Amino acid sequence: MTSKSSIVRILLRLYPAAWRREYGLELEDLLMTRALGPSTVADVAFNALRQRVRHASPATLYGLTVMSVIFLLLTWNIVAPPATGDGLAAVLRDSPMTLPTIAIAPLTSYYYLLLVAAVTSRMASRHDVSPSQSGMDGIRICAIASLPIVMAGVLMLLGILHVEVLRAGQSPTTFAQHGFTYTFYDSGNHEFSPIAVLIAPMFRILESWMWGTIGGAFGRRGRVRESQPAK
Amino acid sequence: MARKPKAGPASDPEILILSSLASGPKHGYAIMKDIETFAGVSLGPGTLYTAITRLVERKFVAPQSSSGRQRPYRLTDEGAEGLAIVLSDMRRVAIVGLKRLRPA
């Protein structure tokens, strides 16, 4: 296999499988007939991303949206740590519960749970989706949204992302002073641990599944009602 | 006055592809070459197939069966109608714009 055909194969793998089945052979043939310059590679890769977005389910898209928000908040915490532990950028919080010991602020909010229910309800009202599938969509939103937390936990375990634990009355240091460091506010409930960060998203799965199922059942009920003939 | 269809061609690559197929069925490579000749526009392969995907979904073009790897595409009646409406709109705007550009 030549290097050109290898690059073409890699580029085609960027497209969704359903799209590849329909147009893959044609695009492969077209790419093999022309020079593979940077502009062609960029054009194909960008359009593969567009196809991915077009083929993605609403659950995936909303999961990616929440993931982006969490990623931005984590970055905000590193670059400009919040003055107190209840600011938006305090993503990881000392949980008052026994388990999990770390609470992920955006995923424990009512807004997030309402979003999961609203998305799965909308999906079920438009398509024939069973409540159990809606529950799985809720889990998908949670899993995708949690990726930056898992990534932060791994970086903390590897010692790449440092953690500055602040207790009541202590002020955060600036980015110039602490570098690549996450600022955590200790409420005195638990000792901070990177493992706790890593497993914290698992404790959101059940609630996401539950709200996904409820939303799906609600949307499905509306769909059934609409499909019944008026008396 | 005829109304523009809701799902009409909205962007240049789509209009260019429909205009190319107005002269007869072509496969992807032939469409690219034809557009380069008549419009001087070089469409990237990714852009070309994204536009073809949209046009097929809207039933403005349809693939024809072929024994080779490249399937030819043909303009459908809906596609021809949509293209005619868009090009008429463009011509009307172009005529007015050119007239206004002329010095008094």
Side-chain angles (χ1 to χ4, degrees):
Chain A
M1 194 185 281
T2 62
S3 61
K4 186 179 179 181
S5 59
S6 305
I7 295 169
V8 168
R9 288 273 159 88
I10 292 167
L11 285 172
L12 286 171
R13 296 290 298 175
L14 299 177
Y15 282 85
W19 192 93
R20 274 203 311 271
R21 277 195 293 277
E22 189 66 27
Y23 302 100
L25 280 179
E26 291 175 51
L27 183 56
E28 183 183 0
D29 208 43
L30 188 58
L31 290 171
M32 292 304 287
T33 58
R34 51 184 289 145
L36 267 186
S39 63
T40 303
V41 171
D43 174 73
V44 175
F46 174 68
N47 280 284
L49 182 70
R50 287 175 73 183
Q51 291 300 333
R52 286 262 169 208
V53 171
R54 290 185 80 222
H55 281 76
S57 75
T60 304
L61 292 178
Y62 281 100
L64 287 170
T65 306
V66 180
M67 185 190 86
S68 307
V69 170
I70 293 177
F71 181 79
L72 285 174
L73 291 176
L74 281 172
T75 309
W76 182 9
N77 181 295
I78 293 166
V79 175
T84 59
D86 50 9
L88 270 177
V91 178
L92 305 173
R93 297 185 184 188
D94 193 3
S95 166
M97 295 162 72
T98 312
L99 270 175
T101 56
I102 299 272
I104 306 162
L107 299 187
T108 47
S109 72
Y110 290 117
Y111 297 114
Y112 165 73
L113 297 175
L114 278 175
L115 175 90
V116 171
V119 170
T120 52
S121 170
R122 187 166 173 266
M123 284 170 73
S125 68
R126 293 189 167 199
H127 310 283
D128 189 16
V129 181
S130 68
S132 64
Q133 279 174 297
S134 298
M136 292 307 290
D137 284 328
I139 292 177
R140 183 185 294 183
I141 295 174
C142 176
I144 295 171
S146 304
L147 285 175
I149 304 295
V150 175
M151 195 173 74
V154 170
L155 292 176
M156 285 171 187
L157 268 177
L158 295 173
I160 297 169
L161 176 62
H162 304 287
V163 181
E164 183 175 52
V165 180
L166 296 182
R167 291 186 174 80
Q170 290 182 313
S171 301
T173 52
T174 62
F175 180 71
Q177 291 168 315
H178 66 220
F180 195 47
T181 300
Y182 179 85
T183 303
F184 179 79
Y185 290 85
D186 188 1
S187 306
N189 300 319
H190 306 282
E191 275 294 308
F192 179 84
S193 151
I195 297 280
V197 175
L198 204 56
I199 63 168
M202 284 169 56
F203 293 91
R204 306 307 306 154
I205 287 175
L206 184 64
E207 212 166 9
S208 300
W209 171 81
M210 194 177 79
W211 282 90
T213 306
I214 292 169
F218 195 72
R220 193 177 165 84
R221 207 174 151 198
R223 183 182 162 83
V224 169
R225 204 176 276 172
E226 270 177 28
S227 63
Q228 282 173 347
K231 286 178 185 171
Chain B
M1 190 180 121
R3 288 183 63 188
K4 201 189 271 189
K6 269 184 185 172
S11 61
D12 284 342
E14 291 174 19
I15 295 169
L16 292 171
I17 291 167
L18 291 175
S19 300
S20 172
L21 294 179
S23 66
K26 291 178 193 71
H27 54 66
Y29 183 75
I31 295 171
M32 277 175 79
K33 285 286 156 198
D34 187 38
I35 289 172
E36 272 176 31
T37 308
F38 79 78
V41 174
S42 179
L43 286 185
T47 306
L48 175 79
Y49 273 95
T50 293
I52 287 177
T53 307
R54 268 202 302 262
L55 291 170
V56 170
E57 283 170 2
R58 289 175 187 172
K59 297 184 169 45
F60 278 34
V61 306
Q64 291 183 312
S65 55
S66 162
S67 54
R69 286 160 69 92
Q70 287 273 347
R71 285 180 305 179
Y73 291 89
R74 68 171 178 82
L75 192 64
T76 62
D77 291 343
E78 292 98 316
E81 193 185 338
L83 178 66
I85 291 169
V86 170
L87 292 182
S88 299
D89 285 355
M90 286 169 77
R91 181 170 59 189
R92 200 167 54 243
V93 173
I95 289 169
V96 172
L98 287 169
K99 219 180 250 179
R100 288 178 181 177
L101 275 173
R102 277 186 207 140

